[in-house]
Amino acid sequence: MSRILMKGNEAIAEAAIRAGAVYYFAYPITPQSEVGEYMSRRLPEVGGVFVQAESEVAVGNMLMGAVASGKRAFTSSSSPGISLMQEAISTMAAARLPVVLINIMRGGPGIGGILPSQADYFQSTKGGGHGDYRVLVLAPSTLQESVDLTMLAFHLADKYCNPTMVVADGMIGQMMEPVQFPEDYKEEPLPPKDWATTGCRGRAPRIIKSLFLDPAMLETNNVMLAEKYKLMKQNEVRFEAYKINPQNRILLVAYGTMARICQTVIDELAEENISIGLLRPITLFPFPGKEIFAEAVKPNIKAVLTVEMSMGQMVEDVEAAVQGRKPVEFYGRTGGIVPTPEEVRDYILKILAKKTPAVKSWKG
Amino acid sequence: MNENAQAVFNRPQLFGEAVTHYCPGCAHGIIHRMVAEVLEELGIEGRTVGIAPVGCAVLIYNYIQTDFIEALHGRAPAFATGLKRVSPDLIVFTYQGDGDLASIGTNEIIHAANRGEKFTTIFVNNAIYGMTGGQMAPTTMPGQITATSPHGRNVKECGYPIRIAELLSSLRTPAYIERVAVYNPQNIVRAKRAIRKAFQYQIEGRCFSLVEVLSTCPTNWGMTPQESLKWQETTMLPYYPLGCFKTPEGEVKE
């Protein structure tokens, strides 16, 4: 397999095509516009469809119409654009429609800025839209992983009939790295799309809906969705352990670009005989909380440090996971500023210098 | 039954057995039936997917027995765009009210029409929000009393009603736009002819097509069914002229 040097946004675009998603609907927004630009060139070559929509609101709804046919379709956007799609995401979750959304996160809140951020953790993992629902959330930290997880996202969306998001900070969208695409891509068998609206000739009509005027029926639908989310928690938790060992004094938890910076810090501190481990969530929902707990409670761990490009979002899930058994510390920068290895290293040394860290309750 | 008897009038087979949920005097039933008849007559019911709106007509799928997708409020044209683009062999139509299409969904209908998306929109204009309980719509007549214009629509604050057929006709791309009414049998025949033409153009893959159907809402207008038919004719018609605004052949007829 040959390796190609690609920009993150373009690698993600090509990965989607390789996964058979040749229907793309989007609205331009920095820092992910290259996905649409790539698709507008590439999709006509593979018999696909590129539609530049009038708004992200329309995008979400075009996607619903497209995936209702049973075909793989997707969009990409950045934070404010994803906000505009939330009503559609909630509805696709309720109606069990498999759709993939790529969020190349930028700084917020509001219009915010166009530089990298991880401040959409709450938005993607805690709902974002209205009602009781969940989306599967995958968070790559390299371009190769962006390719792999984008392809996986389409499979998981179809497997669970559920919206699936790939969230990457703007750094991943904009940088270049060598990637390789699988030459003979095969997927595990998927359930038949016996719900797709393809015209009812020879069968009973199908209705794709999220309206339940009868409260008992609405509750039944929500309970069925909750059972599906439980299955996701059982089957789909993904994470990477980096240099986790019994000598670790601090457990780092970080994802995406921040995890790579933490790996640099861990390597540097190892040379000074300071052992730090990293648990990198790859799925943000379902969250590897049990795995974090198992590492955090080990006697060698003095504290858990969460590092994010936000004011502290994933740290709430880490606190919940650790259940007050160890202090949970947080370091983050925001507004498009990426914490440097030096900053993270200094913060780690500060924690290690603390004499008797008080055990905080998970409420902080 | 006499062996020589010939059925001259039947309910469309495409209509299910559901009991109507519409109020007495509401024209949705007539319009649903016309759509069902046209789909059946053109023999396209097996490859048709309807997009249901938010509003009274969300339950259209209880009546017309084809595949349906429930759209979010105003977004039916975006749903239809997505579906028709990935499945161009399907016949796709949206069925939308005036709160849905002319207020929250103006962006989607204008751009879908302007891109020339090859689906059909049945736009039912009864000058009021029905399902939410009779609030003012962008299509509400000047001076018309509604739940949110208790002293009548004040055009100095709210502007004049939006004429969707004319608005969309100002775009160069969309090709078939006609306004019809259903307050008497003569107009119902014309309305069905327009709906049939709209679907025919779609079958031929020619253009975006929209039929605006002036309708009634006796419940929220506070009128009897008979009064509401009269009101449609005397109050709505002078402001919303009937006729064909655009055809793909380029001819504009009054």
Side-chain angles (χ1 to χ4, degrees), chain B residues 45-100:
Chain B
E45 66 274 28
R47 60 179 177 117
T48 294
V49 180
I51 315 288
V54 166
C56 296
V58 60
L59 299 177
I60 185 172
Y61 46 69
N62 286 349
Y63 309 109
I64 300 179
Q65 307 288 295
T66 63
D67 281 4
F68 262 95
I69 311 173
E70 226 177 53
L72 285 164
H73 205 188
R75 316 291 173 226
F79 276 71
T81 298
L83 182 60
K84 184 80 182 184
R85 286 288 190 113
V86 310
S87 302
D89 294 336
L90 288 179
I91 299 297
V92 178
F93 75 94
T94 74
Y95 187 104
Q96 302 177 258
D98 46 316
D100 187 88

Short mmCIF file of all heavy atoms in Angstrom, two decimals, chain B residues 45-100:
data_model
loop_
_atom_site.label_atom_id
_atom_site.label_comp_id
_atom_site.label_asym_id
_atom_site.label_seq_id
_atom_site.Cartn_x
_atom_site.Cartn_y
_atom_site.Cartn_z
N GLU B 45 -47.41 5.67 -8.23
CA GLU B 45 -47.52 5.55 -6.78
C GLU B 45 -46.47 4.62 -6.18
O GLU B 45 -46.01 4.83 -5.06
CB GLU B 45 -48.94 5.12 -6.37
CG GLU B 45 -49.36 3.71 -6.81
CD GLU B 45 -49.95 3.66 -8.21
OE1 GLU B 45 -49.59 4.51 -9.04
OE2 GLU B 45 -50.75 2.74 -8.49
N GLY B 46 -46.04 3.63 -6.95
CA GLY B 46 -45.06 2.66 -6.44
C GLY B 46 -43.64 3.20 -6.38
O GLY B 46 -42.77 2.60 -5.76
N ARG B 47 -43.40 4.33 -7.03
CA ARG B 47 -42.05 4.91 -6.97
C ARG B 47 -42.08 6.34 -6.44
O ARG B 47 -41.19 7.14 -6.72
CB ARG B 47 -41.35 4.83 -8.33
CG ARG B 47 -42.04 5.56 -9.46
CD ARG B 47 -41.19 5.40 -10.73
NE ARG B 47 -41.80 6.02 -11.89
CZ ARG B 47 -41.24 7.03 -12.56
NH1 ARG B 47 -40.11 7.55 -12.17
NH2 ARG B 47 -41.84 7.52 -13.64
N THR B 48 -43.12 6.63 -5.67
CA THR B 48 -43.26 7.97 -5.12
C THR B 48 -42.92 7.98 -3.64
O THR B 48 -43.29 7.06 -2.90
CB THR B 48 -44.71 8.47 -5.31
OG1 THR B 48 -44.94 8.63 -6.71
CG2 THR B 48 -44.94 9.80 -4.62
N VAL B 49 -42.19 9.00 -3.21
CA VAL B 49 -41.97 9.24 -1.78
C VAL B 49 -42.43 10.66 -1.48
O VAL B 49 -41.98 11.61 -2.12
CB VAL B 49 -40.49 9.07 -1.38
CG1 VAL B 49 -40.33 9.32 0.13
CG2 VAL B 49 -40.00 7.67 -1.72
N GLY B 50 -43.37 10.76 -0.54
CA GLY B 50 -43.86 12.08 -0.14
C GLY B 50 -43.07 12.60 1.04
O GLY B 50 -42.55 11.83 1.84
N ILE B 51 -42.97 13.93 1.13
CA ILE B 51 -42.35 14.54 2.29
C ILE B 51 -43.45 15.30 3.03
O ILE B 51 -44.00 16.27 2.51
CB ILE B 51 -41.22 15.53 1.90
CG1 ILE B 51 -40.30 14.94 0.81
CG2 ILE B 51 -40.44 15.95 3.14
CD1 ILE B 51 -39.37 13.84 1.23
N ALA B 52 -43.74 14.82 4.25
CA ALA B 52 -44.82 15.41 5.04
C ALA B 52 -44.28 16.63 5.78
O ALA B 52 -43.12 16.65 6.19
CB ALA B 52 -45.36 14.38 6.03
N PRO B 53 -45.11 17.65 5.96
CA PRO B 53 -44.65 18.87 6.62
C PRO B 53 -44.84 18.79 8.12
O PRO B 53 -45.31 17.78 8.64
CB PRO B 53 -45.61 19.91 6.06
CG PRO B 53 -46.91 19.15 5.99
CD PRO B 53 -46.54 17.73 5.61
N VAL B 54 -44.49 19.87 8.82
CA VAL B 54 -44.99 20.06 10.18
C VAL B 54 -46.23 20.92 10.06
O VAL B 54 -46.25 21.89 9.31
CB VAL B 54 -43.93 20.73 11.07
CG1 VAL B 54 -44.56 21.25 12.37
CG2 VAL B 54 -42.82 19.74 11.39
N GLY B 55 -47.26 20.56 10.78
CA GLY B 55 -48.54 21.26 10.68
C GLY B 55 -49.64 20.23 10.59
O GLY B 55 -49.42 19.04 10.81
N CYS B 56 -50.86 20.71 10.27
CA CYS B 56 -52.00 19.80 10.24
C CYS B 56 -51.75 18.62 9.31
O CYS B 56 -52.19 17.50 9.57
CB CYS B 56 -53.25 20.53 9.78
SG CYS B 56 -53.76 21.84 10.91
N ALA B 57 -51.05 18.86 8.20
CA ALA B 57 -50.90 17.82 7.17
C ALA B 57 -49.76 16.86 7.45
O ALA B 57 -49.45 16.01 6.62
CB ALA B 57 -50.71 18.46 5.81
N VAL B 58 -49.15 16.95 8.65
CA VAL B 58 -48.08 16.00 8.97
C VAL B 58 -48.58 14.56 8.85
O VAL B 58 -47.83 13.67 8.48
CB VAL B 58 -47.47 16.26 10.37
CG1 VAL B 58 -48.51 16.15 11.47
CG2 VAL B 58 -46.32 15.30 10.66
N LEU B 59 -49.87 14.36 9.12
CA LEU B 59 -50.42 12.99 9.09
C LEU B 59 -50.89 12.58 7.70
O LEU B 59 -51.63 11.61 7.56
CB LEU B 59 -51.56 12.86 10.11
CG LEU B 59 -51.15 13.10 11.57
CD1 LEU B 59 -52.36 13.03 12.49
CD2 LEU B 59 -50.08 12.11 12.03
N ILE B 60 -50.43 13.27 6.68
CA ILE B 60 -50.83 12.94 5.30
C ILE B 60 -50.55 11.46 4.99
O ILE B 60 -51.26 10.82 4.25
CB ILE B 60 -50.10 13.86 4.29
CG1 ILE B 60 -50.59 13.61 2.85
CG2 ILE B 60 -48.59 13.75 4.38
CD1 ILE B 60 -50.06 14.62 1.83
N TYR B 61 -49.52 10.91 5.67
CA TYR B 61 -49.18 9.50 5.40
C TYR B 61 -50.21 8.53 5.95
O TYR B 61 -50.17 7.35 5.63
CB TYR B 61 -47.77 9.16 5.93
CG TYR B 61 -47.46 9.64 7.34
CD1 TYR B 61 -48.08 9.09 8.45
CD2 TYR B 61 -46.51 10.65 7.54
CE1 TYR B 61 -47.78 9.53 9.72
CE2 TYR B 61 -46.21 11.10 8.82
CZ TYR B 61 -46.85 10.54 9.91
OH TYR B 61 -46.56 10.97 11.16
N ASN B 62 -51.14 9.02 6.77
CA ASN B 62 -52.24 8.16 7.20
C ASN B 62 -53.25 7.96 6.06
O ASN B 62 -54.07 7.05 6.12
CB ASN B 62 -52.98 8.77 8.39
CG ASN B 62 -52.18 8.64 9.68
OD1 ASN B 62 -51.19 7.93 9.71
ND2 ASN B 62 -52.61 9.34 10.71
N TYR B 63 -53.19 8.83 5.06
CA TYR B 63 -54.21 8.81 4.01
C TYR B 63 -53.64 8.31 2.68
O TYR B 63 -54.20 7.43 2.06
CB TYR B 63 -54.83 10.20 3.85
CG TYR B 63 -55.28 10.75 5.18
CD1 TYR B 63 -54.61 11.80 5.81
CD2 TYR B 63 -56.36 10.17 5.86
CE1 TYR B 63 -55.02 12.27 7.05
CE2 TYR B 63 -56.77 10.62 7.11
CZ TYR B 63 -56.08 11.67 7.70
OH TYR B 63 -56.47 12.12 8.93
N ILE B 64 -52.53 8.93 2.26
CA ILE B 64 -51.95 8.53 0.97
C ILE B 64 -50.94 7.40 1.22
O ILE B 64 -49.97 7.59 1.95
CB ILE B 64 -51.29 9.73 0.27
CG1 ILE B 64 -52.34 10.83 0.03
CG2 ILE B 64 -50.65 9.30 -1.05
CD1 ILE B 64 -51.79 12.07 -0.64
N GLN B 65 -51.22 6.25 0.62
CA GLN B 65 -50.45 5.04 0.96
C GLN B 65 -49.21 4.90 0.07
O GLN B 65 -49.10 3.97 -0.72
CB GLN B 65 -51.35 3.80 0.82
CG GLN B 65 -52.65 3.90 1.60
CD GLN B 65 -52.43 3.77 3.09
OE1 GLN B 65 -52.00 2.73 3.56
NE2 GLN B 65 -52.70 4.83 3.84
N THR B 66 -48.29 5.84 0.22
CA THR B 66 -46.98 5.69 -0.41
C THR B 66 -45.94 5.83 0.70
O THR B 66 -46.28 6.13 1.84
CB THR B 66 -46.71 6.79 -1.46
OG1 THR B 66 -46.70 8.07 -0.79
CG2 THR B 66 -47.76 6.81 -2.55
N ASP B 67 -44.67 5.63 0.35
CA ASP B 67 -43.61 5.90 1.31
C ASP B 67 -43.64 7.38 1.66
O ASP B 67 -43.92 8.23 0.81
CB ASP B 67 -42.24 5.56 0.71
CG ASP B 67 -41.95 4.05 0.75
OD1 ASP B 67 -42.85 3.30 1.16
OD2 ASP B 67 -40.84 3.66 0.37
N PHE B 68 -43.32 7.68 2.92
CA PHE B 68 -43.29 9.08 3.36
C PHE B 68 -42.13 9.32 4.32
O PHE B 68 -41.73 8.42 5.05
CB PHE B 68 -44.59 9.46 4.09
CG PHE B 68 -45.59 10.17 3.20
CD1 PHE B 68 -46.60 9.46 2.57
CD2 PHE B 68 -45.50 11.53 3.01
CE1 PHE B 68 -47.51 10.10 1.75
CE2 PHE B 68 -46.41 12.18 2.18
CZ PHE B 68 -47.42 11.47 1.55
N ILE B 69 -41.63 10.53 4.30
CA ILE B 69 -40.68 10.97 5.32
C ILE B 69 -41.28 12.21 5.96
O ILE B 69 -41.79 13.09 5.27
CB ILE B 69 -39.30 11.34 4.73
CG1 ILE B 69 -38.78 10.26 3.78
CG2 ILE B 69 -38.29 11.60 5.84
CD1 ILE B 69 -37.52 10.69 3.04
N GLU B 70 -41.19 12.26 7.27
CA GLU B 70 -41.68 13.42 8.00
C GLU B 70 -40.56 14.46 8.06
O GLU B 70 -39.48 14.17 8.56
CB GLU B 70 -41.93 12.93 9.43
CG GLU B 70 -43.19 13.33 10.07
CD GLU B 70 -43.21 12.65 11.45
OE1 GLU B 70 -42.24 12.80 12.22
OE2 GLU B 70 -44.18 11.95 11.71
N ALA B 71 -40.83 15.63 7.54
CA ALA B 71 -39.79 16.68 7.54
C ALA B 71 -39.88 17.52 8.80
O ALA B 71 -40.91 17.56 9.48
CB ALA B 71 -39.95 17.58 6.32
N LEU B 72 -38.81 18.21 9.10
CA LEU B 72 -38.85 19.22 10.15
C LEU B 72 -39.55 20.46 9.60
O LEU B 72 -39.73 20.62 8.40
CB LEU B 72 -37.42 19.54 10.61
CG LEU B 72 -36.82 18.45 11.50
CD1 LEU B 72 -35.32 18.61 11.61
CD2 LEU B 72 -37.46 18.49 12.88
N HIS B 73 -39.89 21.38 10.53
CA HIS B 73 -40.72 22.52 10.14
C HIS B 73 -40.03 23.38 9.06
O HIS B 73 -38.98 23.96 9.32
CB HIS B 73 -41.01 23.37 11.38
CG HIS B 73 -42.27 24.17 11.24
ND1 HIS B 73 -42.66 25.11 12.15
CD2 HIS B 73 -43.22 24.17 10.28
CE1 HIS B 73 -43.80 25.65 11.76
NE2 HIS B 73 -44.16 25.10 10.64
N GLY B 74 -40.64 23.43 7.92
CA GLY B 74 -40.14 24.27 6.83
C GLY B 74 -39.11 23.61 5.95
O GLY B 74 -38.74 24.15 4.91
N ARG B 75 -38.58 22.46 6.37
CA ARG B 75 -37.41 21.90 5.68
C ARG B 75 -37.73 20.86 4.63
O ARG B 75 -36.82 20.23 4.09
CB ARG B 75 -36.45 21.27 6.70
CG ARG B 75 -36.22 22.06 7.94
CD ARG B 75 -35.43 23.34 7.71
NE ARG B 75 -35.41 24.09 8.94
CZ ARG B 75 -35.63 25.39 9.05
NH1 ARG B 75 -35.88 26.11 7.97
NH2 ARG B 75 -35.60 25.98 10.22
N ALA B 76 -39.00 20.67 4.33
CA ALA B 76 -39.36 19.64 3.36
C ALA B 76 -38.60 19.78 2.03
O ALA B 76 -38.16 18.77 1.47
CB ALA B 76 -40.87 19.64 3.12
N PRO B 77 -38.40 21.01 1.51
CA PRO B 77 -37.65 21.11 0.24
C PRO B 77 -36.21 20.61 0.37
O PRO B 77 -35.64 20.10 -0.61
CB PRO B 77 -37.69 22.60 -0.09
CG PRO B 77 -38.88 23.12 0.65
CD PRO B 77 -38.94 22.32 1.92
N ALA B 78 -35.61 20.74 1.55
CA ALA B 78 -34.24 20.22 1.74
C ALA B 78 -34.28 18.69 1.77
O ALA B 78 -33.43 18.03 1.15
CB ALA B 78 -33.63 20.78 3.02
N PHE B 79 -35.26 18.12 2.47
CA PHE B 79 -35.43 16.66 2.46
C PHE B 79 -35.58 16.17 1.02
O PHE B 79 -34.95 15.19 0.60
CB PHE B 79 -36.70 16.25 3.23
CG PHE B 79 -36.53 16.14 4.71
CD1 PHE B 79 -36.36 17.26 5.50
CD2 PHE B 79 -36.56 14.90 5.33
CE1 PHE B 79 -36.23 17.16 6.86
CE2 PHE B 79 -36.42 14.79 6.71
CZ PHE B 79 -36.26 15.91 7.47
N ALA B 80 -36.47 16.84 0.29
CA ALA B 80 -36.76 16.42 -1.08
C ALA B 80 -35.52 16.54 -1.95
O ALA B 80 -35.26 15.67 -2.79
CB ALA B 80 -37.90 17.27 -1.65
N THR B 81 -34.73 17.59 -1.73
CA THR B 81 -33.48 17.76 -2.48
C THR B 81 -32.56 16.57 -2.24
O THR B 81 -32.05 15.96 -3.18
CB THR B 81 -32.78 19.07 -2.06
OG1 THR B 81 -33.62 20.17 -2.38
CG2 THR B 81 -31.44 19.24 -2.77
N GLY B 82 -32.36 16.25 -0.95
CA GLY B 82 -31.46 15.15 -0.61
C GLY B 82 -31.93 13.84 -1.22
O GLY B 82 -31.14 13.09 -1.82
N LEU B 83 -33.21 13.57 -1.09
CA LEU B 83 -33.75 12.29 -1.56
C LEU B 83 -33.69 12.19 -3.09
O LEU B 83 -33.24 11.19 -3.65
CB LEU B 83 -35.19 12.12 -1.06
CG LEU B 83 -35.87 10.81 -1.43
CD1 LEU B 83 -35.12 9.62 -0.87
CD2 LEU B 83 -37.31 10.80 -0.93
N LYS B 84 -34.16 13.25 -3.75
CA LYS B 84 -34.22 13.20 -5.22
C LYS B 84 -32.82 13.18 -5.84
O LYS B 84 -32.59 12.51 -6.85
CB LYS B 84 -35.01 14.41 -5.72
CG LYS B 84 -35.25 14.45 -7.21
CD LYS B 84 -36.39 13.55 -7.66
CE LYS B 84 -36.53 13.59 -9.18
NZ LYS B 84 -37.68 12.80 -9.65
N ARG B 85 -31.88 13.88 -5.20
CA ARG B 85 -30.52 13.89 -5.76
C ARG B 85 -29.86 12.51 -5.71
O ARG B 85 -29.12 12.15 -6.61
CB ARG B 85 -29.64 14.89 -5.00
CG ARG B 85 -29.93 16.33 -5.32
CD ARG B 85 -29.47 16.72 -6.71
NE ARG B 85 -29.56 18.16 -6.89
CZ ARG B 85 -28.52 18.96 -7.04
NH1 ARG B 85 -27.30 18.48 -7.05
NH2 ARG B 85 -28.69 20.26 -7.19
N VAL B 86 -30.13 11.77 -4.61
CA VAL B 86 -29.47 10.46 -4.53
C VAL B 86 -30.30 9.37 -5.19
O VAL B 86 -29.78 8.31 -5.50
CB VAL B 86 -29.11 10.06 -3.07
CG1 VAL B 86 -28.37 11.18 -2.37
CG2 VAL B 86 -30.32 9.65 -2.28
N SER B 87 -31.60 9.63 -5.40
CA SER B 87 -32.47 8.64 -6.05
C SER B 87 -33.29 9.33 -7.13
O SER B 87 -34.50 9.52 -6.99
CB SER B 87 -33.41 8.00 -5.02
OG SER B 87 -32.68 7.40 -4.00
N PRO B 88 -32.65 9.68 -8.24
CA PRO B 88 -33.35 10.47 -9.26
C PRO B 88 -34.51 9.75 -9.93
O PRO B 88 -35.35 10.41 -10.54
CB PRO B 88 -32.24 10.83 -10.27
CG PRO B 88 -31.09 9.96 -9.94
CD PRO B 88 -31.23 9.49 -8.54
N ASP B 89 -34.59 8.41 -9.76
CA ASP B 89 -35.71 7.70 -10.37
C ASP B 89 -36.99 7.76 -9.55
O ASP B 89 -38.06 7.41 -10.03
CB ASP B 89 -35.34 6.23 -10.60
CG ASP B 89 -34.24 6.09 -11.64
OD1 ASP B 89 -34.11 7.02 -12.47
OD2 ASP B 89 -33.51 5.09 -11.60
N LEU B 90 -36.87 8.21 -8.30
CA LEU B 90 -38.07 8.34 -7.48
C LEU B 90 -38.86 9.58 -7.91
O LEU B 90 -38.30 10.53 -8.44
CB LEU B 90 -37.69 8.50 -6.00
CG LEU B 90 -37.14 7.28 -5.26
CD1 LEU B 90 -36.82 7.68 -3.82
CD2 LEU B 90 -38.12 6.13 -5.28
N ILE B 91 -40.17 9.54 -7.65
CA ILE B 91 -40.99 10.74 -7.77
C ILE B 91 -41.12 11.29 -6.35
O ILE B 91 -41.55 10.58 -5.43
CB ILE B 91 -42.38 10.41 -8.35
CG1 ILE B 91 -42.23 9.81 -9.75
CG2 ILE B 91 -43.27 11.64 -8.35
CD1 ILE B 91 -41.61 10.74 -10.79
N VAL B 92 -40.70 12.51 -6.15
CA VAL B 92 -40.65 13.09 -4.81
C VAL B 92 -41.52 14.33 -4.76
O VAL B 92 -41.45 15.17 -5.67
CB VAL B 92 -39.19 13.45 -4.44
CG1 VAL B 92 -39.13 14.09 -3.06
CG2 VAL B 92 -38.29 12.20 -4.48
N PHE B 93 -42.36 14.41 -3.76
CA PHE B 93 -43.14 15.65 -3.61
C PHE B 93 -43.16 16.09 -2.16
O PHE B 93 -43.09 15.27 -1.24
CB PHE B 93 -44.56 15.48 -4.17
CG PHE B 93 -45.50 14.68 -3.31
CD1 PHE B 93 -46.36 15.30 -2.40
CD2 PHE B 93 -45.55 13.29 -3.41
CE1 PHE B 93 -47.24 14.56 -1.62
CE2 PHE B 93 -46.43 12.54 -2.63
CZ PHE B 93 -47.28 13.19 -1.73
N THR B 94 -43.23 17.40 -1.97
CA THR B 94 -43.44 17.95 -0.63
C THR B 94 -44.86 18.48 -0.58
O THR B 94 -45.41 18.92 -1.60
CB THR B 94 -42.47 19.09 -0.29
OG1 THR B 94 -42.84 20.28 -1.01
CG2 THR B 94 -41.04 18.73 -0.62
N TYR B 95 -45.46 18.40 0.58
CA TYR B 95 -46.82 18.90 0.79
C TYR B 95 -46.70 19.84 1.98
O TYR B 95 -46.42 19.38 3.10
CB TYR B 95 -47.74 17.72 1.08
CG TYR B 95 -49.21 18.07 1.17
CD1 TYR B 95 -50.08 17.78 0.12
CD2 TYR B 95 -49.74 18.68 2.30
CE1 TYR B 95 -51.43 18.09 0.21
CE2 TYR B 95 -51.09 19.00 2.39
CZ TYR B 95 -51.93 18.69 1.34
OH TYR B 95 -53.27 18.99 1.42
N GLN B 96 -46.84 21.13 1.77
CA GLN B 96 -46.50 22.08 2.82
C GLN B 96 -47.57 23.16 2.98
O GLN B 96 -48.14 23.64 2.00
CB GLN B 96 -45.18 22.79 2.49
CG GLN B 96 -44.00 21.86 2.30
CD GLN B 96 -42.75 22.61 1.90
OE1 GLN B 96 -42.37 22.62 0.74
NE2 GLN B 96 -42.11 23.28 2.85
N GLY B 97 -47.78 23.56 4.22
CA GLY B 97 -48.69 24.66 4.50
C GLY B 97 -47.97 25.99 4.43
O GLY B 97 -46.77 26.05 4.16
N ASP B 98 -48.72 27.07 4.70
CA ASP B 98 -48.13 28.40 4.53
C ASP B 98 -47.24 28.81 5.70
O ASP B 98 -46.27 29.54 5.52
CB ASP B 98 -49.19 29.46 4.23
CG ASP B 98 -50.39 29.38 5.15
OD1 ASP B 98 -50.88 28.26 5.40
OD2 ASP B 98 -50.87 30.42 5.62
N GLY B 99 -47.55 28.33 6.92
CA GLY B 99 -46.63 28.61 8.02
C GLY B 99 -45.31 27.90 7.77
O GLY B 99 -44.24 28.45 7.97
N ASP B 100 -45.42 26.69 7.29
CA ASP B 100 -44.25 25.84 7.01
C ASP B 100 -43.41 26.40 5.87
O ASP B 100 -42.22 26.64 6.01
CB ASP B 100 -44.78 24.44 6.66
CG ASP B 100 -43.70 23.39 6.52
OD1 ASP B 100 -43.34 22.79 7.54
OD2 ASP B 100 -43.23 23.17 5.41
#
